[in-house]
Amino acid sequence: MGSEARTAQVNEVIRRLDAHYVFPDVAAKLAEVLRRRLDEGAYADLDDAEFATVVTVDLQSVNGDKHVRLRHHLDPVPEDGDAKFDSEEFRVEAELEAFGIAAVRRLAGNVGYLDTTLLYPAELAGPAIAAAMTLLAPTDALLLDVRRNRGGTPGTSALLQSYLVDEQVNYLNIYEREGDRTTQMWTLPYVPGAKFGGTKPIWVLTGPRTFSGGEDLAFSLQQQGRAKTVGEPSRGGAHPREQYKVDTYLDVTVSIARSFHPETGENWEGTGVRPDIPVDAEKAFDTAYALALKHVLELGDTGPRRAVAEEARAALDRL
């Protein structure tokens, strides 16, 4: 890669940051870092993959924003961020990942378990989420596992949370630099299928791989008092982002907005979502499952509940 071409790529990254980064003052600092590093020759003699890695480190050195990255792709990148979500390739990717639903089960003792890996757009993932939540609706408690959830769209977080409440809740606000506007995120007035509801207990399993949209779920349910978080702190990315083309095989992801709690103004940027019950991420499931089983046993063991209580006691003995 010649020096002129590399300089043009750096300048394109700077242009995108200047135009879109949610904090203009931070964008200016990022530009200073990139120009200085370019002048120092830090990006010389690197292939595109190495260049993307080094620039990402430089970008995140300013304020630790993990959503700001230069990425190298094996295939040509689309012209803008929206193009990816409309592509057939993205739809196939979503299908092959089961629309981000890695597992949905009724565990012994009538405890529900939902393992999510990504919050795909609701227009793709909606039917899968509705099916999963309909299966889980009759359970007595829910384990929502976001330990491997790497992010996704805010609208899908709203959809999933809507199955877990009885009334509409303004659980998060998102400030966008473009238009200088704030959008209130509310749970939905209607969802297809059956709801788990707003009274039965929920434990959200978190870990160091939980990021972005997964953190949205954990933070929002925690702040509502709707769920307890169990595990380790999450990665700490509260800024919704968009991707912009830099060159044929390079794009830059830019934080275009800031998420925050509507009452406290707080979020999880940089700190991660702090667990209510801190344990090693690997032990989060057993810890939360034991709590759920104890709750099930408190519901009684007569009539139709006799078999469920027996399941719960046996499962608790195995933990």
Side-chain angles (χ1 to χ4, degrees), residues 236-260:
H239 296 158
R241 57 87 171 168
E242 187 57 273
Q243 59 252 33
Y244 301 97
K245 182 176 181 178
V246 171
D247 208 334
T248 304
Y249 299 99
L250 293 169
D251 67 8
V252 62
T253 60
V254 178
S255 298
I256 62 170
R258 174 182 178 271
S259 303
F260 61 94

Side-chain angles (χ1 to χ4, degrees), residues 173-184:
N173 288 348
I174 299 178
Y175 169 77
E176 298 174 76
R177 175 184 169 183
E178 183 176 352
D180 189 27
R181 64 178 181 268
T182 298
T183 300
Q184 296 181 342

Side-chain angles (χ1 to χ4, degrees), residues 7-276:
T7 298
Q9 291 170 342
V10 171
N11 287 335
E12 180 62 11
V13 172
I14 291 171
R15 184 180 77 83
R16 296 295 196 175
L17 292 166
D18 182 64
H20 303 290
Y21 195 76
V22 62
F23 304 120
D25 58 330
V26 175
K29 294 177 181 177
L30 293 170
E32 290 178 7
V33 169
L34 294 184
R35 291 192 180 101
R36 183 181 73 251
R37 295 280 286 160
L38 181 66
D39 291 342
E40 292 170 353
Y43 308 137
D45 303 321
L46 300 176
D47 62 30
D48 277 356
E50 294 168 332
F51 172 59
T53 299
V54 173
V55 169
T56 295
V57 172
D58 291 340
L59 289 171
Q60 295 181 3
S61 70
V62 173
N63 66 340
D65 188 340
K66 297 180 179 67
H67 274 114
V68 184
R69 295 173 292 164
L70 182 65
R71 305 186 303 182
H72 173 255
H73 302 265
L74 296 178
D75 299 315
V77 300
E79 292 298 323
D80 55 57
D82 291 336
K84 175 183 178 181
F85 298 116
D86 293 332
S87 70
E88 179 63 22
E89 181 182 0
F90 184 71
R91 285 189 287 272
V92 172
E93 173 190 313
E95 291 177 358
L96 292 175
E97 199 175 349
F99 303 101
I101 305 296
V104 53
R105 301 200 302 273
R106 176 201 178 275
L107 303 173
N110 202 36
V111 174
Y113 175 73
L114 180 64
D115 184 10
T116 66
T117 55
L118 189 75
L119 302 181
Y120 280 97
E123 56 267 31
L124 295 177
I129 291 173
M133 297 312 299
T134 297
L135 176 66
L136 296 172
T139 57
D140 292 316
L142 177 64
L143 310 184
L144 176 55
D145 196 341
V146 295
R147 287 176 295 176
R148 297 185 295 153
N149 192 307
R150 60 190 187 275
T153 61
T156 306
S157 177
L159 173 62
L160 186 49
Q161 290 186 61
S162 299
Y163 285 93
L164 308 176
V165 297
D166 293 327
E167 299 178 351
Q168 285 189 269
V169 179
N170 173 207
Y171 63 89
L172 201 69
N173 288 348
I174 299 178
Y175 169 77
E176 298 174 76
R177 175 184 169 183
E178 183 176 352
D180 189 27
R181 64 178 181 268
T182 298
T183 300
Q184 296 181 342
M185 299 302 298
W186 288 77
T187 54
L188 308 177
Y190 166 80
V191 290
K195 296 177 69 169
F196 180 79
T199 58
K200 295 180 287 187
I202 302 170
W203 289 269
V204 182
L205 283 52
T206 64
R209 296 169 62 189
T210 309
F211 190 55
S212 193
E215 294 176 290
D216 176 339
L217 278 174
F219 177 85
S220 299
L221 292 169
Q222 179 192 59
Q223 294 299 307
Q224 293 173 53
R226 184 64 193 91
K228 295 290 186 182
T229 52
V230 184
E232 297 180 47
S234 56
R235 285 184 63 193
H239 296 158
R241 57 87 171 168
E242 187 57 273
Q243 59 252 33
Y244 301 97
K245 182 176 181 178
V246 171
D247 208 334
T248 304
Y249 299 99
L250 293 169
D251 67 8
V252 62
T253 60
V254 178
S255 298
I256 62 170
R258 174 182 178 271
S259 303
F260 61 94
H261 189 273
E263 295 181 5
T264 67
E266 297 178 352
N267 64 20
W268 60 94
E269 179 65 26
T271 63
V273 180
R274 298 296 178 178
D276 296 305

